[in-house]
Amino acid sequence: MERAVPHTAPLGQMEVFQALQRLHMTIFSQSFSPCGKFLASGNNCGQIAIFSLSAALSSEAKEESKKPIVTFQAHDGPVYSMVSTDRHLFSAGDGEVKAWLWAEILKKGCKELWCRQPPYRTSLEVPEINALLLVPKENSLILAGGDCQLHTMDLETGTFTRALRGHTDYIHCLALRDRNPEVLSGGEDGAVRLWDLRMAKEVQTIEVYKHEECSRPHNGRWIGCLATDSDWMVCGGGPALTLWHLRSSTPTTIFPMWAPQKHVTFYQDLILSAGQGPCVNQWQLSGELKAQVPGSSPGLLSLSLNQQPSAPECKVLTAAGNSCRVDVFTNLGYRAFSLSF
């Protein structure tokens, strides 16, 4: 774990420490504010930085506009995942999820509203929480990670209402089928599991690595990313990035990308993916690579689309990963600039 230098450290020592911290930084998570004008980014040091997108996108923007307006220590370990509601920012670290009020964050009052720990099987267990997912119809938050379970928290009461068990190894990613509501989860065991939240049970399992056209044994069986759009799912990781028809459990398109992908999302009539390597990949649903747009990080872990209707001037794609920078794309064709911790 990376430890903070005491505030009494000499100025030169502090500057060296901060430079080293930035050099070895990984940004795991991102979340846009409810107004769409700010971006929260969480790193491996447990810090959350808040950037003003409206300032950085302004025609009068300076280098200082691309720095955080506030940075605060949110967790002792990495900030693996973040999501936002119309009032709250939720952040997840090792064994805990915290809530913050956006209104207070933007006033630079960064005191947590609450901190919760899922009911783990032993008191010694402190697994990381790799994924958070909001379920608006239930007003609930789903947490998943190192204990191989999906925990549901009621946001009204703050209590954990159920744990869904089925994965045999770490869970890396979650996606919501809002219509049903159903949740998809993918993990280290190589399975994508579909859960019916009303029945609180697993209703479908796709073991991706067992399909010969998807399997890449040299990369492993783990599922690192997934997204869903109605009856369709796209997932990747060790196996090839693949588009699936969920109802028939059939792989329909194998995307010709050898590097393991860590994040994927549907966007209009495209699929966007990122992972090993500096590029954001744009795919046609047919499997054709439309474009590869390079960024500033050697590897990418998260993509985030800001589509808040209240801030059309801040409609951007952001990409972050193995560096202290968040790349900002004002259109999908090129990187406009980078925000930096």
Side-chain angles (χ1 to χ4, degrees), residues 80-81 128-132 144-146 148-150 167 169-175 184-191 221-226 236-238 261-263 301:
Y80 292 112
S81 185
E128 69 258 29
I129 298 170
N130 293 322
L132 295 176
C148 317
Q149 302 179 69
L150 284 76
H167 281 281
D169 211 333
Y170 282 34
I171 299 168
H172 288 300
C173 45
L174 298 170
L184 288 155
S185 59
E188 198 71 19
D189 59 5
R221 61 172 63 176
W222 55 279
I223 300 298
C225 61
L226 60 84
Q261 299 297 278
K262 303 290 183 68
H263 196 109
L301 297 173

Side-chain angles (χ1 to χ4, degrees), residues 251-331:
T252 62
T253 307
I254 312 293
F255 298 95
M257 169 61 63
W258 288 104
Q261 299 297 278
K262 303 290 183 68
H263 196 109
V264 67
T265 188
F266 287 92
Y267 177 65
Q268 296 177 353
D269 58 349
L270 297 173
I271 287 171
L272 307 179
S273 76
Q276 283 185 11
C279 292
V280 177
N281 307 299
Q282 301 173 28
W283 303 96
Q284 307 277 14
L285 297 180
S286 61
E288 180 190 342
L289 182 61
K290 183 182 177 186
Q292 282 189 303
V293 186
S296 64
S297 298
L300 295 172
L301 297 173
S302 76
L303 301 175
S304 200
L305 283 158
N306 188 16
Q307 301 186 81
Q308 289 287 357
S310 57
E313 73 283 6
C314 295
K315 185 178 178 180
V316 294
L317 168 71
T318 56
N322 301 119
S323 81
C324 63
R325 294 177 295 279
V326 179
D327 292 333
V328 178
F329 302 81
T330 49
N331 69 47

Side-chain angles (χ1 to χ4, degrees), residues 14-241:
M14 180 68 79
E15 287 172 345
V16 168
F17 171 76
Q18 289 172 343
L20 286 170
Q21 199 176 54
R22 283 195 296 273
L23 186 65
H24 298 287
M25 192 172 289
T26 297
I27 298 173
F28 284 107
S29 52
Q30 306 178 69
S31 184
F32 292 104
S33 65
C35 68
K37 295 180 179 178
F38 300 91
L39 173 70
S41 297
N43 69 15
N44 58 318
C45 308
Q47 299 166 328
I48 294 175
I50 308 296
F51 298 95
S52 170
L53 287 172
S54 48
L57 290 163
S58 160
S59 58
E60 297 168 8
K62 302 179 173 62
E63 276 311 301
E64 202 56 34
S65 310
K66 296 161 190 170
K67 296 283 185 187
I69 57 169
V70 61
T71 303
F72 58 97
Q73 193 70 34
H75 297 270
D76 291 335
V79 185
Y80 292 112
S81 185
M82 292 192 293
V83 291
S84 290
T85 65
D86 57 358
R87 292 183 63 225
H88 298 104
L89 172 68
F90 299 108
S91 63
D94 287 319
E96 64 185 14
V97 61
K98 292 185 178 182
W100 317 80
L101 279 170
W102 268 109
E104 294 302 312
I105 292 172
L106 297 177
K107 285 190 224 161
K108 305 188 182 179
C110 303
K111 187 172 182 349
E112 71 198 53
L113 193 61
W114 49 253
C115 177
R116 300 276 189 277
Q117 293 185 326
Y120 294 124
R121 284 168 287 210
T122 73
S123 58
L124 298 175
E125 197 173 21
V126 191
E128 69 258 29
I129 298 170
N130 293 322
L132 295 176
L133 181 70
L134 290 164
V135 185
K137 284 183 179 174
E138 287 193 342
N139 193 27
S140 66
L141 179 68
I142 296 182
L143 301 69
D147 75 335
C148 317
Q149 302 179 69
L150 284 76
H151 298 275
T152 301
M153 189 177 79
D154 184 318
L155 288 174
E156 183 113 4
T157 63
T159 56
F160 287 93
T161 57
R162 64 179 167 233
L164 301 173
R165 300 177 180 90
H167 281 281
T168 58
D169 211 333
Y170 282 34
I171 299 168
H172 288 300
C173 45
L174 298 170
L176 178 66
R177 295 181 82 198
D178 193 34
R179 199 174 52 181
N180 297 68
E182 294 173 336
V183 168
L184 288 155
S185 59
E188 198 71 19
D189 59 5
V192 173
R193 301 179 191 274
L194 180 64
W195 310 85
D196 186 310
L197 296 182
R198 290 163 300 188
M199 296 191 288
K201 71 174 190 178
E202 185 179 343
V203 292
Q204 187 178 355
T205 306
I206 299 173
E207 292 179 297
V208 178
Y209 66 96
K210 289 187 177 178
H211 292 255
E212 190 177 346
E213 62 269 51
C214 308
S215 177
R216 298 187 301 185
H218 59 286
N219 284 338
R221 61 172 63 176
W222 55 279
I223 300 298
C225 61
L226 60 84
T228 183
D229 185 0
S230 187
D231 286 333
W232 299 92
M233 171 191 76
V234 60
C235 67
L241 189 69

